[in-house]
Amino acid sequence: MTTTGLPDSLIATLPGDHYTDPEIFRLEQEHIFESMWFCAARSSELSKPGAFRTVDVGRESVLLTRSRDGSVKAFFNVCRHRGAKLCTQESGEVKRAFQCPYHAWTYDLNGKLVAAPNLTKMPDIGRTEYGLASVAVREWLGYVWVCLAENPPPFEESVIADVVARLGDVESIERYDVESLEVGRRIVYDVRANWKLIIENFMECYHCATIHPELTEVLPEFADGYAAQFYVGHGAEFGTDVQGFTVDGSEGLDRIPGVTEEQDRRYYAITVRPQVFINLVPDHVIFHRMFPVAVDRTIVECDWLYLKGVVESGRDVSRSVELFDRVNRQDFDACERCQPAMSSRLYAKGGVLVPSEHHIGEFHDWVQDRLGTRANLAER
Ligand code: FES
Ligand code: FE
C-alpha cells in the first residue's frame, strides 16, 4: 500500500474540484496560461502587414498582427485611453493602423499611438508611452507563440526543452519542416470539458481499444493500451497492411522529404505544455492548440498540415483528415462524459490511475506545483 491507502499498482487522480472549481481555474489561468509560452495562431493567418488575429490567453485578449518589416507583433488588445477592447473581430485586415471604436485613438502596426482627436492639444501624451502594450512573441514551427509573463522564461528552456524531453531531440520534429507546411484543413471543436481532461486523455491509450476502432486498425500496438508517448522518441508502427495514415488505411499523400527511414511508417505524438499536442506522420502533421475558456469548456483548434504542393494541387486530403477528426470526436465525447461526473460527491477525492496511466500522475504533480496546491491536497 502507498501512503494514500491505495494499492501500489494504483495512483490517485486529482480531486473532482480541480475540474469544476472556478477558483482553481483562475489560478491555472494566472500561473499556467498567462505565465508560460502559449501557442496562439498559425503564422500564415498573418499573411501580410495589417492582417490580424485576436486570441484569448488566460483572462487576456491578445492582438496579433504583422508589421511592415514582416515581423509578427503581439499586444494586449486594450486601448490605452479608457480601456475599450480595441479589436473585436477574431481575424481581419487593417490597412495601416488600428483605430479604437470609442474615441478613435489610432495605433500603427508597431503599436505606436499615431493619431487621436485633438492630439496636438495634448502635447503631454507620449506616443510610445501610450502606445499598445507589447506581449513577448516568437515564431516556431510556423506558429505564433506568446508569453504574458512579466519576465518570460527563455523559449529554448521552456518550449524547446519540453519537446526534447518528450521526443529525445528537437531535430526529430524539425525534420518534418512543419514551418513550411500548409494548412490543408482546420477544424475547431467546442468541447464541454475541462482542459486537463483533454490532456489526460491525450496522454493515455488505455482507452484506445474501446473508443478508437479506426486508429487501432492503423496502429495495432495502440490496442494494448500503452501509448506511443510513454517512452522518449518512440513512434508507433503502422500495421503491415496499412499504406497510409488514413481512415481506411489507404495510401497517404506525398511524404515530407525530411522524414527519415526510421520515422517512415510511424506515428509520433507529443504534448507541449501547457496546451499543444502534435502528431507526426510521414505525409502530414496534425497540430492541436487548446484554448481553455472556462472551467468546463475548452476550444480546440486543430490543423492538418501538408506539403505546399499537396495543398496547392487541390488533392483530396479528406481520408487523412477523417481519421484524426474521428479520433478527436471520440476523445472529446469521452471527456464530455467525464465532466459532469467531476462534481459528483463520489468523485470528491478523485479516481485512480492504473499502471498504463501512471505517467498522468506526473502531469498532475506539475499542475499542482504550478498552482501551489500540492500541500493543500496532502492535508485532505
Ligand atoms: Fe479607446 Fe477612448 S477608449 S479611444
Ligand atoms: Fe484517444
Side-chain angles (χ1 to χ4, degrees), residues 1 27 108 170 187 262 277 303 311 317 322 328 341 355:
M1 298 285 254
L27 287 173
D108 72 11
V170 73
I187 299 181
E262 167 70 22
F277 320 139
D303 294 335
V311 175
V317 297
E322 189 170 345
N328 281 338

Side-chain angles (χ1 to χ4, degrees), residues 207-270:
H207 67 268
C208 290
T210 327
I211 70 172
H212 296 319
E214 302 86 356
L215 185 65
T216 46
E217 202 53 51
V218 175
L219 304 172
E221 71 181 76
F222 272 23
D224 72 8
Y226 283 85
Q229 54 186 21
F230 263 21
Y231 34 105
V232 174
H234 174 73
E237 201 166 2
F238 292 2
T240 343
D241 300 334
V242 168
Q243 291 178 283
F245 197 73
T246 55
V247 71
D248 51 5
S250 58
E251 201 179 346
L253 295 138
D254 302 348
R255 182 168 129 186
I256 298 165
V259 172
T260 61
E261 284 306 317
E262 167 70 22
Q263 291 172 313
D264 196 19
R265 295 186 54 77
R266 282 182 189 274
Y267 160 94
Y268 296 84
I270 317 158

Side-chain angles (χ1 to χ4, degrees), residues 29-82:
Q29 288 180 311
E30 184 182 341
H31 297 291
I32 297 178
F33 306 114
E34 294 166 22
S35 299
M36 299 179 66
W37 285 95
F38 186 100
C39 189
R42 182 77 183 157
S43 299
S44 61
E45 290 179 76
L46 310 170
S47 54
K48 52 177 155 169
F52 69 85
R53 166 91 202 253
T54 55
V55 287
D56 288 338
V57 179
R59 295 160 297 178
E60 300 288 353
S61 174
V62 174
L63 170 61
L64 306 168
T65 191
R66 197 174 288 281
S67 72
R68 302 246 157 252
D69 67 7
S71 63
V72 171
K73 306 284 179 196
F75 306 105
F76 284 88
N77 188 14
V78 177
C79 179
R80 297 301 304 279
H81 174 221
R82 296 252 307 283

Side-chain angles (χ1 to χ4, degrees), residues 101-338:
Y102 196 178
H103 314 88
W105 279 30
T106 305
Y107 305 91
D108 72 11
L109 302 178
N110 293 312
K112 190 175 165 195
L113 178 64
V114 288
N118 311 326
L119 189 60
T120 47
K121 297 190 184 121
M122 302 180 277
D124 299 344
I125 294 217
R127 306 286 185 107
T128 305
E129 192 187 345
Y130 285 95
L132 296 175
S134 301
V135 169
V137 66
R138 261 297 283 267
E139 283 183 276
W140 188 55
L141 302 178
Y143 282 87
V144 180
W145 306 67
V146 295
C147 184
L148 268 57
E150 262 174 49
N151 297 303
F155 194 80
E156 284 66 24
E157 287 169 29
S158 44
V159 177
I160 306 275
D162 211 15
V163 169
V164 172
R166 275 155 189 78
L167 214 51
D169 56 53
V170 73
E171 292 76 29
S172 299
I173 188 168
E174 290 185 335
R175 278 192 212 112
Y176 287 78
D177 206 7
V178 189
E179 188 181 321
S180 64
L181 300 181
E182 296 233 336
V183 180
R185 189 76 61 86
R186 169 172 290 179
I187 299 181
V188 180
Y189 305 87
D190 188 345
V191 188
R192 301 290 163 155
N194 182 271
W195 67 281
K196 297 188 294 302
L197 290 175
I198 300 175
I199 293 210
E200 291 159 10
N201 172 82
F202 193 79
M203 288 178 75
E204 53 96 356
C205 206
Y206 190 39
H207 67 268
C208 290
T210 327
I211 70 172
H212 296 319
E214 302 86 356
L215 185 65
T216 46
E217 202 53 51
V218 175
L219 304 172
E221 71 181 76
F222 272 23
D224 72 8
Y226 283 85
Q229 54 186 21
F230 263 21
Y231 34 105
V232 174
H234 174 73
E237 201 166 2
F238 292 2
T240 343
D241 300 334
V242 168
Q243 291 178 283
F245 197 73
T246 55
V247 71
D248 51 5
S250 58
E251 201 179 346
L253 295 138
D254 302 348
R255 182 168 129 186
I256 298 165
V259 172
T260 61
E261 284 306 317
E262 167 70 22
Q263 291 172 313
D264 196 19
R265 295 186 54 77
R266 282 182 189 274
Y267 160 94
Y268 296 84
I270 317 158
T271 54
V272 184
R273 285 174 182 165
Q275 40 80 254
V276 174
F277 320 139
I278 309 169
N279 302 297
L280 306 165
V281 290
D283 62 333
H284 63 285
V285 170
I286 309 163
F287 206 106
H288 297 73
R289 284 164 297 126
M290 292 197 305
F291 295 85
V293 291
V295 70
D296 57 357
R297 184 174 170 214
T298 308
I299 304 291
V300 183
E301 278 190 13
C302 184
D303 294 335
W304 280 260
L305 308 166
Y306 300 86
L307 286 172
K308 203 172 179 169
V310 168
V311 175
E312 281 175 354
S313 69
R315 284 170 67 189
D316 183 14
V317 297
S318 61
R319 278 174 312 179
S320 56
V321 171
E322 189 170 345
L323 174 55
F324 226 85
D325 179 39
R326 284 198 200 183
V327 171
N328 281 338
R329 289 176 200 279
Q330 291 155 349
D331 281 330
F332 300 152
D333 275 357
C335 297
E336 290 184 342
R337 183 180 287 263
C338 291

